[in-house]
Amino acid sequence: MPGGVLVVDFGAQYSQLIARRIRECRVFSAVVPHDAPPEEILALHPSGLVLSGGPASVYAPGAPALDPRLLELGIPVLGICYGQQAMTLALGGEVARTGAGEYGKTPITVRSREGMFHALPAEQCWMSHRDAVSRAPEGFTVTAETASSPVAAMENPQRRMYGVQFHPEVVHTPFGNDLLKWFLFEACDCSPTWTATHLIEEQVERIRAQVGDARAICGLSGGVDSAVAALIVHRAIGDRLTCVFVDHGLMRHNEGEQVEAAFGKHFGVPLVHVRAQEHFEAALAGITEPEEKRKTIGREFIRIFEREADKLKDARFLVQGTLYSDVIESGSRDAAKIKSHHNVGGLPEDMVVELIEPLRQLFKDEVRVVGEELGLPENMVWRQPFPGPGLAIRIIGEVTRERLDILRQADFVLQEEIRRAGLYRELWQSFAVLPAIKSVGVQGDERTYAYPIIIRAVTSDDAMTADWARIPYDILERISNRIINEVDGVNRVALDLTSKPPGTIEWE
Ligand code: XMP
């Protein structure tokens, strides 16, 4: 995509966030691996490069190296944290192991306002590093410093090279966005013209080339991700796409029917409804370990898709609505593995279909923008995320039909009350969890020994981090009363007060 700014990834959890911040400025951006050959990078005609941070010390054995040829492309470069350090070493400066790291909010002193700090009220930035640049390379001016970073920022306007030790992409660097804008619009001379439509056009072209005359199937869940992925592919290859909705019996109340009605009728994309409740019930019997549950569901999902693909001649491709957050949390190259999202890490190794994942570089809120652009109805665009493995990962311990019924009913009540209170859209997710314990209660003068239901409600921008939602007490009271009165087998309601990190949004 001509005119974009590429993020060269040195293994930071933040690489995609940088790309996203750039796209928010309406400049195209994508992440490329640090060892991508310079010819490949040049072929993308970038207007600039951002070298990302990374988890390792530049001196650690096997630390991801910066190909010095990337600094000879004649386009502006901004190095962030590890990126700045790698650039410094490549250009003959020095990086020191300072011994004392800098983490979190840090006061910063600006030394020159000639370049990137022009008109920036920079007083505080967000740091996360141990090593630090101790001597800038020749030709660079040091433009900012902090207590532990003598070179918190450096610039070489002749070569259009810039480096910062802090993280402009996180909200805790209050001037970070303005600094990125300065790099995009002043240093790289980009124009703020990129929109979600460009992404659709680009993906449509790419998918046409990938699929050729073959057919594809799409696993539709009813959520916004798979719906948007399906519509993009449908735009690319028309009726050679068939959507398959596998009802694994782990859906919420009435969800299967809603998916069929909404997607099949509204969009006119061929839809096969596979009823596989009993199949999954048998596959999950006796399984209590979360990763085993996830892998089992992922594997059975794919097997069913493959069977359906076999029935459709030439369906060699499988469309998935995988998002960037699914990819990073399943452990990409250098990032730590948190859990296997069923559509990434849970895939069997001998899978015979090829994947099409048009949303792999996007965050949820970006997908929603694309969805609106594609004309998806508002209630689908704004549906709260629901995990592929469904209610199975909200039932701690064994998934049985009885426990599924309890959770589904409790979840239905909770959703109804959250919507009634007008909170549905402002919460990232709100749902019920069924733990594997029982407690004693008393109902109508009778002793009960039954399950509790845990209410989990979070706010988030992108699922990478989340905070527990402050739901008003009177709404919690109504939810609790209704769940206990209406759901057999439940005698207690608890509230989860954990942010992410240290918790994850789902319980398994
Ligand atoms: P966690 O629990 O990792 O979840 O904080 C982050 C977001 O991802 C959703 N999630 C999944 N989505 N397949 C999906 O499609 C999965 O296996 C999966 N696991 C978690 C979760 O609901 C939250 O929005």
Side-chain angles (χ1 to χ4, degrees), residues 294 326 329 339-343 385 387-389 393 428-429 463 500 504-506:
R294 283 175 167 275
D326 306 334
E329 301 236 318
K339 57 175 91 160
S340 301
H341 282 211
H342 85 287
N343 45 355
I393 57 168
W428 176 267
Q429 272 170 293
K500 171 185 180 176
T504 51
I505 295 175
E506 304 290 346

Side-chain angles (χ1 to χ4, degrees), residues 221 225 294 297 321-323 325-326 329-330 338-344 364 384-390 393-394 428-429 431 456 458 460 462-466 500 503-508:
S221 70
D225 308 340
R294 283 175 167 275
I297 295 167
T322 311
L323 302 188
S325 45
D326 306 334
E329 301 236 318
S330 292
I338 315 284
K339 57 175 91 160
S340 301
H341 282 211
H342 85 287
N343 45 355
V344 188
K364 190 83 170 189
Q384 289 181 355
F386 185 63
I393 57 168
R394 297 175 180 174
W428 176 267
Q429 272 170 293
F431 56 87
R456 177 76 166 141
V458 296
S460 176
D462 52 24
M464 302 289 282
T465 60
K500 171 185 180 176
T504 51
I505 295 175
E506 304 290 346
W507 269 47
E508 289 194 339

